[in-house]
Amino acid sequence: MDFYSLLIIAIALSLDAFGVALCIGLNSGVSINGKVLFSACSGFFQFLFALIGAYAGVLFNTYIASVPKVIGGALIAIVGVLMLKEGFENKGECPVIKPGTYFILGISVSIDAMVIGFTVLNSINNSLSVLKDTLFIGLVTLIISSLAFIIAKYLKKIELFSKYADYIGGFILVIFGIKMMFF
């Protein structure tokens, strides 16, 4: 996979974490340790789920059936539509943070990475390339969620972006899925 496609996928996947991080950052009662923990959990689980999905996709393609690009693109587009749906249901509300929920939030914003790993990263023949690409996805998520905390610190009115992060990420994944199916 070329770098720009991987970067677009990584950014689209990290926008869920960006939106949640903005909400957490706008809450003045959250400590710096909580912010660091959330960013680390989001990046780690984004990496882990993309890696698990990629290897599950390789196993599926090897031992069951090859997933054509049209099916993979359709699955990515469906994930994008689900992200859009989640944005409509969320209505821009920030989650209530209790101690110990950072792991759950990190997992919840990373589940879509497993589908992307299964459909996009499974065509890579080299295990080192899979590891490198999934680490990149996790690193981008770590950086983007950290940036959200910095933005929230200085711009408390940035709450509108957290409201639309699911929409933006979903739209990017739908476009990428359509591109994968037809081009």
Side-chain angles (χ1 to χ4, degrees), residues 100-123:
T101 59
Y102 297 108
F103 290 101
I104 295 168
L105 286 172
I107 290 170
S108 68
V109 299
S110 302
I111 298 226
D112 49 355
M114 192 175 301
V115 175
I116 298 300
F118 187 84
T119 57
V120 176
L121 300 176
N122 68 8
S123 63

Side-chain angles (χ1 to χ4, degrees), residues 45-56 113-114 117 121 127 130-131 134:
F45 287 117
Q46 201 79 272
F47 152 73
L48 181 66
F49 288 172
L51 184 67
I52 290 169
Y55 283 117
M114 192 175 301
L121 300 176
S127 294
V130 171
L131 183 63
T134 55

Side-chain angles (χ1 to χ4, degrees), residues 61-73:
N61 285 341
T62 303
Y63 297 110
I64 298 174
S66 179
V67 177
K69 285 187 174 184
V70 173
I71 295 172

Side-chain angles (χ1 to χ4, degrees), residues 13 109 140 144 178:
L13 289 173
V109 299
V140 167
I144 287 182
I178 291 170

Side-chain angles (χ1 to χ4, degrees), residues 70-90:
V70 173
I71 295 172
L75 288 174
I76 291 171
I78 289 169
V79 170
V81 169
L82 291 175
M83 285 177 69
L84 288 170
K85 180 181 174 263
E86 181 180 312
F88 285 118
E89 292 173 353
N90 211 9

